[in-house]
Amino acid sequence: MRARSALFDVYGGHLRQRGGAATIAALLRLLEPLGFAAPAVRTAVSRTVRQGWLTPVRLAEGPGYALTPRAERRLDEAAARIYRTRPSTWDGRWHLVLLVSTPGRAERERLTGSLRLLGYGSLNPTTWVALRPAAELADVLAAEGVTARTFHAEHDGDDAELAATAWDLHALGRDYADFVAEWRPVMSAVDGDCPAEAFAASQRLLHAWRKFLFRDPGLPTQLLPPDWPGLAAAEFFDHHTARLADPANEFVDDCLAGASAASTA
């Protein structure tokens, strides 16, 4: 885990629902159990500001950083797929993106990563498909100078076969099974008695789980292979996240209160 990723996870997992802003003192406290020293945190904050995800603000407790509207959209989009044991709302139509202009290699690689993160799968180099439109799609295309045609369509064929073409479900299912096998003993060793430990464990689990966002669009059950390992993996993630939520939230609240108290001392 890098400091920038840890910072983004903390904002998405905890600070988004607490107003989306925190002082630098609070951020230093929050990332300390994850092994990040102050210089690494400050560098990560600076980079995140330059990339347009955070903006400096003046809070009652002192100088801090708030999520930008762009970051809020990205985190909300991600949250809908991170906590995926909720019923699917797919209406049976696909959202298609047909790239009209072809970017250069570097731009194409960035675009591919961004589209996958937004839940799109590739049918061919210029045709991408998703369950629903992503709110951030226009920003992503504009950032790479790419024009595209977008529309909804029903597939005149087997939707499960289309999904298997757009995403490598075989490899993804294998990796979900490996995820549970790797993290079960790790999470079982955390009982939640220590808030800082619970926070660190839940954040590390979130970081590992978030990597699947680049590969899994959250397909409904009818589009997935039988006995899909992703369902058990999602239940595993939700169970341990909920189990450690109270002590993790206690740690976050203490960090925010501690930073506030220090500023008024």
Side-chain angles (χ1 to χ4, degrees), residues 115-140:
L115 288 174
R116 292 194 182 282
L117 181 59
L118 295 181
Y120 288 87
S122 176
L123 297 179
N124 59 53
T126 60
T127 306
W128 293 77
V129 63
L131 296 173
R132 57 187 60 84
E136 204 179 333
L137 177 63
D139 292 340
V140 165

Side-chain angles (χ1 to χ4, degrees), residues 97-103 111 115 125-128 141 146-149:
V97 176
L98 304 182
L99 302 182
V100 176
S101 57
T102 304
L111 179 63
L115 288 174
T126 60
T127 306
W128 293 77
L141 295 174
V146 175
T147 57
R149 299 186 184 277

Side-chain angles (χ1 to χ4, degrees), residues 7 109 125 196 250:
L7 181 69
E109 290 179 353
E250 178 184 344

Side-chain angles (χ1 to χ4, degrees), residues 13-171:
H14 294 280
L15 300 180
R16 176 74 175 100
Q17 58 265 39
R18 290 175 170 85
T23 63
I24 189 64
L27 295 175
L28 294 176
R29 291 172 182 264
L30 286 166
L31 269 65
E32 184 178 4
L34 296 170
F36 296 109
V41 176
R42 294 181 185 277
T43 298
V45 169
S46 296
R47 289 177 178 173
T48 310
V49 169
R50 289 198 301 270
Q51 293 167 348
W53 301 111
L54 293 178
T55 186
V57 292
R58 184 72 187 183
L59 303 173
E61 302 85 2
Y65 296 87
L67 292 166
T68 63
R70 175 190 175 205
E72 291 177 347
R73 290 194 299 271
R74 172 64 63 87
L75 290 174
D76 291 346
E77 182 92 19
R81 291 164 52 209
I82 287 174
Y83 305 98
R84 64 181 68 164
T85 49
R86 293 169 292 187
S88 172
T89 58
W90 186 54
D91 64 3
R93 298 184 303 159
W94 296 95
H95 188 245
L96 270 67
V97 176
L98 304 182
L99 302 182
V100 176
S101 57
T102 304
R105 180 176 180 180
E107 294 82 0
R108 185 169 62 250
E109 290 179 353
R110 289 196 302 267
L111 179 63
T112 294
S114 295
L115 288 174
R116 292 194 182 282
L117 181 59
L118 295 181
Y120 288 87
S122 176
L123 297 179
N124 59 53
T126 60
T127 306
W128 293 77
V129 63
L131 296 173
R132 57 187 60 84
E136 204 179 333
L137 177 63
D139 292 340
V140 165
L141 295 174
E144 302 303 339
V146 175
T147 57
R149 299 186 184 277
T150 64
F151 53 90
H152 282 98
E154 293 184 4
H155 179 226
D156 186 15
D158 189 327
D159 285 315
E161 289 184 2
L162 182 69
T165 301
W167 295 276
D168 188 349
L169 298 180
H170 176 74

Side-chain angles (χ1 to χ4, degrees), residues 17 20 53 55 71 100 125 142 161 189 221 228 231 243 253 260 264:
Q17 58 265 39
W53 301 111
T55 186
V100 176
E161 289 184 2
T221 304
W228 175 240
L231 297 177
R243 182 176 67 85
D253 291 337
S260 177
T264 59

Side-chain angles (χ1 to χ4, degrees), residues 177-263:
D178 291 343
F179 169 83
V180 175
E182 176 184 353
W183 281 92
R184 178 176 285 119
V186 176
M187 299 308 295
S188 297
V190 181
D191 57 17
D193 288 344
C194 174
E197 182 185 30
F199 170 81
S202 63
Q203 290 302 112
R204 291 190 177 103
L205 180 68
L206 172 61
H207 178 73
W209 181 248
R210 192 164 64 87
K211 294 177 181 178
F212 286 108
L213 291 183
F214 287 94
R215 304 172 57 196
D216 188 343
L219 297 171
T221 304
Q222 66 266 33
L223 301 182
L224 294 169
D227 301 320
W228 175 240
L231 297 177
E235 291 174 357
F236 172 86
F237 170 78
D238 283 358
H239 167 72
H240 287 287
T241 298
R243 182 176 67 85
L244 298 178
D246 285 345
N249 283 324
E250 178 184 344
F251 175 77
V252 173
D253 291 337
D254 286 347
C255 287
L256 296 176
S260 177
S263 68

